[in-house]
């Protein structure tokens, strides 16, 4: 038995001092020293950070990568929305000369006709038993509370009319509003899409539906609910009566336009109040080829078409501004989350490296 113990001890001692290629080396020559330095420099240049093989650290690292990619997407969506706001601004400015001319001619004809214009069907006030509500929402989400605010406003208005004993139905513009009210038991007259580029053809289809419904007696008044563009961080759900028209409102109502600006990388909006277009002066001895009443009756559908197009453009601008704000908030949140996750990853990596050092030191002490 003693012989076996002595043999085992001798065998362990022999293994501890076994020679290896790296254990005993001869002094390198000058070329060998150059190769050693060259390899050391190359290794330093290509050296990478310590790879933490801990499962928690790897999961955090993957999540950091995902959050950073999401931040890139939301930042790009913000810039795309800003470009579309500029196009909406240009569209509003392009339709402004036509609106001014129409308002000027209408004001001059109203002054020329006096009280005779009150006999036109679209200017006639009658007892209201049924109201058609035109609600403008968006086709897509990711725009904050833009769609929900307008839907709540429409439901509140429907409740007010019902409490007064007045019937109501809806003309819905936008897929979000249509998908919501389809699930509710409320009559829907017509549904239209709200594109990112409203045009006169789309506004004409809506205005024809409104005028036909009013003139046929199916409805006694038409109200328009849309989002008024205030600024890039604020928009206001608004309600206005489309028909019957008010001659004084058409001829005396001013207008305002907005312009998207940028300063030091931040977007802003400048609003400009426009004065009322002066009524065109028609001399008393001017002879009209058509009856002035017929001219006014022909101008009113054009005015309605222009107003619907304008509100569509303003609603789209409000939606895009809300999307810009939402994407900016999402980008800020992603940046904050990425920073917090990076701190957690560094702590986990530091803990793993510290644990490895402790294991090496413990092993070295055990050999002593």
């Amino acid at each position: 038995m003693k012989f076996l113990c002595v043999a085992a001890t001798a065998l362990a001692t022999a293994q501890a001092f076994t020679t290896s290629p790296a254990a005993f080396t001869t002094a390198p020559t000058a070329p060998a020293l150059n190769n050693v330095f060259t390899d050391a420099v190359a290794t330093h240049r290509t050296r990478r950070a310590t790879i933490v093989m801990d499962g928690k650290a790897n999961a955090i690292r993957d999540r950091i990568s995902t959050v950073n990619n999401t931040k890139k997407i939301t930042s790009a969506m913000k810039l795309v929305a800003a470009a579309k706001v500029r196009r909406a601004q240009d569209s509003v400015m392009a339709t402004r000369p036509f609106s001014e001319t129409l308002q000027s001619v209408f004001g001059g004809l109203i002054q020329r006709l006096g009280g005779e214009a009150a006999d036109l069907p679209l200017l006639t006030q009658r007892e209201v038993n049924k109201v058609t509500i035109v609600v403008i929402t968006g086709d897509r989400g990711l725009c904050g509370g833009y769609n929900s605010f307008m839907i709540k406003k429409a439901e509140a208005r429907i409740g007010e009319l019902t409490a007064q004993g007045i019937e109501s139905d809806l003309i819905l513009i936008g897929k979000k509003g249509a998908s919501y009210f389809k699930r509710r038991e409320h009559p829907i007259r017509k549904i239209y899409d709200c594109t990112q580029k409203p045009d006169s053809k789309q506004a004409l289809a809506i205005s024809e539906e409104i005028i036909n419904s009013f003139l046929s007696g199916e409805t006694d008044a038409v109200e328009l609910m849309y989002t008024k563009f205030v600024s890039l961080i604020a928009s206001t759900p608004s309600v206005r009566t489309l028909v019957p028209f008010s001659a004084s409102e058409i001829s005396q109502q001013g207008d305002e336009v907005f312009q998207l600006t940028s300063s030091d990388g931040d977007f802003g909006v400048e609003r400009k109040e426009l004065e009322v277009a002066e009524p065109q002066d028609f001399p008393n001895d001017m002879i009209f080829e058509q009856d002035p009443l017929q001219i006014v009756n022909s101008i009113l559908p054009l005015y309605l078409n222009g107003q619907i197009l304008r509100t569509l453009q303003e609603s789209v601008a409000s939606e895009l501004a809300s999307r810009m704000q939402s994407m900016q908030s999402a980008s800020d949140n992603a940046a904050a989350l990425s920073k917090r996750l990076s701190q957690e990853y560094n702590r986990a990596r530091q803990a793993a490296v510290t644990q490895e050092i402790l294991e090496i030191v413990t092993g070295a002490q055990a050999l002593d």
Side-chain angles (χ1 to χ4, degrees):
M1 182 63 68
K2 293 182 179 179
F3 175 75
L4 293 175
C5 293
V6 172
T9 304
L11 180 61
T13 305
Q15 290 179 352
F17 292 96
T18 300
T19 59
S20 62
F24 300 99
T25 57
T26 58
T29 60
L33 286 174
N34 294 334
N35 293 334
V36 169
F37 290 132
T38 303
D39 294 341
V41 173
T43 303
H44 177 73
R45 290 178 178 176
T46 59
R47 186 176 59 185
R48 297 184 179 179
T50 303
I51 299 177
V52 181
M53 301 307 295
D54 180 57
K56 179 182 177 182
N58 288 337
I60 294 175
R61 184 176 56 193
D62 294 341
R63 192 177 178 193
I64 291 174
S65 177
T66 302
V67 170
N68 290 333
N69 291 336
T70 303
K71 180 183 176 182
K72 293 178 182 179
I73 295 173
T74 54
S75 299
M77 291 182 66
K78 175 191 173 183
L79 297 178
V80 170
K84 290 183 178 180
V85 169
R86 289 187 182 275
R87 286 201 295 267
Q89 161 194 322
D90 296 338
S91 299
V92 171
M93 296 301 296
T95 58
R96 181 58 194 167
F98 175 77
S99 300
E100 289 181 346
T101 303
L102 196 65
Q103 188 180 33
S104 176
V105 173
F106 182 83
L109 290 174
I110 290 297
Q111 289 182 357
R112 176 71 179 271
L113 293 174
E116 297 181 13
D119 297 333
L120 293 175
L122 292 176
L123 295 177
T124 302
Q125 302 286 339
R126 58 195 186 199
E127 185 180 357
V128 178
N129 295 319
K130 186 175 182 180
V131 175
T132 297
I133 304 176
V134 182
V135 183
I136 302 178
T137 58
D139 284 346
R140 296 183 295 175
L142 297 178
C143 52
Y146 170 79
N147 293 314
S148 60
F149 287 162
M150 182 51 59
I151 289 174
K152 291 179 180 178
K153 189 78 172 179
E155 285 187 326
R157 182 56 180 165
I158 292 172
E160 293 176 0
L161 294 174
T162 304
Q164 298 175 7
I166 300 176
E167 298 179 2
S168 62
D169 59 4
L170 298 173
I171 295 178
L172 301 174
I173 304 174
K175 294 179 180 179
K176 289 297 181 180
S179 63
Y180 178 85
F181 285 104
K182 278 181 179 179
R183 297 191 295 267
R184 272 70 180 173
E185 296 181 357
H186 196 81
I188 299 176
R189 180 179 296 274
K190 202 78 173 180
I191 296 176
Y192 300 92
D193 291 340
C194 183
T195 62
Q196 296 293 307
K197 296 180 180 179
D199 53 13
S200 58
K201 183 178 180 180
Q202 181 183 7
L204 179 61
I206 299 172
S207 63
E208 286 180 349
E209 177 66 26
I210 292 173
I211 292 176
N212 293 335
S213 301
F214 182 78
L215 294 179
S216 63
E218 297 178 4
T219 184
D220 300 316
V222 178
E223 295 181 354
L224 174 64
M225 305 188 69
Y226 69 103
T227 306
K228 184 177 181 180
F229 183 78
V230 179
S231 66
L232 292 178
I233 60 175
S235 56
T236 306
S238 304
V239 183
R240 58 179 299 183
T241 301
L242 286 179
V243 289
F245 295 105
S246 173
S248 59
E249 180 181 352
I250 296 176
S251 58
Q252 298 178 9
Q253 185 178 16
D255 201 355
E256 60 180 1
V257 295
F258 62 90
Q259 183 175 5
L260 183 66
T261 61
S262 60
S263 177
D264 297 332
D266 296 329
F267 293 103
V269 173
E270 294 181 356
R271 303 189 67 88
K272 181 180 180 182
E273 297 287 340
L274 301 178
E275 298 181 355
V276 180
E278 292 293 333
Q280 189 169 345
D281 186 18
F282 295 107
N284 295 328
D285 57 350
M286 178 179 289
I287 300 175
F288 292 92
E289 184 177 353
Q290 293 181 339
D291 187 6
L293 285 175
Q294 294 181 359
I295 298 176
V296 173
N297 200 30
S298 301
I299 287 178
L300 289 176
L302 294 176
Y303 176 78
L304 177 61
N305 189 15
Q307 290 299 304
I308 291 176
L309 179 59
R310 174 61 185 274
T311 53
L312 286 174
Q313 293 169 343
E314 195 159 354
S315 296
V316 169
S318 300
E319 178 187 357
L320 294 172
S322 181
R323 182 168 290 113
M324 284 179 60
Q325 187 66 22
S326 298
M327 293 301 102
Q328 179 63 45
S329 299
S331 300
D332 295 341
N333 293 336
L337 181 58
S338 177
K339 181 179 180 181
R340 183 172 62 83
L341 291 175
S342 297
Q343 292 175 350
E344 292 182 7
Y345 175 77
N346 292 334
R347 292 193 188 99
R349 178 177 177 274
Q350 184 178 5
V353 173
T354 304
Q355 182 65 26
E356 292 178 1
I357 295 175
L358 289 176
E359 291 176 355
I360 294 172
V361 172
T362 303
Q365 292 178 352
L367 294 177
D368 292 343

